[in-house]
Structures are given as structure tokens and as C-alpha cells.
Amino acid sequence: ATEPRCRASGGGTGMRAEPGELLGFGSVVFAQIRWLISNINRKNQKSTSAELANLLSMYGECAFTYTVRCLVEDIDFRESRVQQFSLKLQLLASQFGKLVTRPNFASLIGESIGRAALTIPLTEEWLGFFSKAIKATPAQQLALGMGIAQLVDDAMAAEGDTFLQARLAELTQEVAVALPDDLMHALVFFLGSREGLERQHSALVKLLQGTFTEDKAPLTLVPLTLVP
């Protein structure tokens, strides 16, 4: 897979790598990340995780998305094979959990999963395998579907759309009230801006209106859902 292009910039505690710009020693950093992931085992799990954490703290978002991408490429998520990757799954579950809490989670999902060289094609079924393998929460599954649905590849985006709609159909008030504000806002905005998803948008707005009173709704949702 093609390595991301990044730049290291000075920071108060170290360096930060930004997507889309050149990092002088980027190829060395990315090669080290891939080597660590490929060679993780029970004996070196702790030291490998510590070294990866150090690289991520130094090189930031670009190294972070590349780590997720390497893990996705190394794991066969089919149910008959996935259990042999238990250590990598633990690491992926941790890193993906961090990824979906970031405000730009959709673009990060596209950069990490959307660009990965998968063992099988990215389909709605694959997204289900992935979610089950890392024990993704409902919020994480919604974020995953929305991130894939925004890919420039029309075929993969369609699979993300289908997966997202299925997860929205399962959404309950109990789950909705616990969704992160950024994710709720992004979902409402995304569904409202896409042709063909008017029904899903209306259903989500109705669910949120039944979940929050106007005085208790997150501020980011008020203009999108609760103002007549």
C-alpha cells in the first residue's frame, strides 16, 4: 500500500505529522510502524504497544491513521480466520476507539480503512465482520458507516451507506442519548445533506426530539433538530 505523505512540525512536546505534506524521515517511521505490527506477539506485546504509542505521540495524526491502516491490512476479518489475530485485534480495537472520538473521524476512517489493501473487498458484510471482530459499540459502527459512505470510491461508499442505514434502523433512544455530540451533529448534518436519505434523516431527528428536551439538548444539535 502507498505510504501517506506527512510533514513533521515542531511542537511543545515533540513533533506532529500532518496528512498531505512531506515528512523527511516518513518512510522510516512508517516502515517501523508496519514492522512492529507485523511482528507483535505475546512476548513483545507490551514493548511493542509502548513503542507504537511513542511513535504516535511524536508523529501524530498521520502515524495514527497509518497504524490503523496497517492493522486493517494485516487482519483477515472473516469469522473463520479472525481469531488467529487476537493481539492485533486488541490493538485495533483500542486505536479505532480513539479514532472515532476525534472531530474529523470521517476523514480519518477514509484515510485509514478506505485506503487499506484488504484481504477481501470492502462490502457491507466486511464492515459487519470488522465491527464484530473489534466489538465495536453502536456509536463506533455509526461512525464507521458514515466514514465509509463519504469515500470518493462510489462502490465502497454505497456499501457504507447500506451499513449505516442498517445501523440507524437499530438505533434506540437509549443508545442515541449516549452518542458523542460530534457524532450526533455529524449524523444529522450528513443525512440531511444527502439525496435519498430524507426518510432516515427524519427518523433520526424524530428520535432525537423524543430523547432530548430543547433545554437539555447538546448545543450543536439545537439548530439542526429542535428549532421549529
Side-chain angles (χ1 to χ4, degrees), residues 71-137:
L71 286 163
V72 169
E73 290 178 342
D74 268 17
I75 297 170
D76 187 336
F77 290 93
R78 287 173 288 188
E79 291 183 348
S80 61
R81 304 186 182 186
V82 71
Q83 291 307 316
Q84 63 186 289
F85 301 96
S86 59
L87 295 180
K88 293 177 183 178
L89 284 170
Q90 291 176 32
L91 185 56
L92 176 59
S94 173
Q95 297 302 322
F96 187 74
K98 296 173 185 175
L99 183 152
V100 299
T101 64
R102 301 195 178 193
N104 59 334
F105 67 86
S107 63
L108 296 181
I109 288 172
E111 184 71 19
S112 56
I113 298 176
R115 295 183 61 192
L118 305 177
T119 55
I120 58 176
L122 193 156
T123 62
E124 180 192 7
E125 183 180 37
W126 185 91
L127 294 170
F129 288 154
F130 176 91
S131 299
K132 183 176 181 180
I134 67 168
K135 299 179 173 63
T137 65

Side-chain angles (χ1 to χ4, degrees), residues 6 16 32 40 46 56 68 77 82 106 128-129 185 187 189:
C6 304
R16 178 180 176 80
Q32 180 67 0
I40 191 171
K46 187 174 181 179
L56 298 187
V68 174
F77 290 93
V82 71
F129 288 154
H185 185 274
L187 273 172
F189 182 83

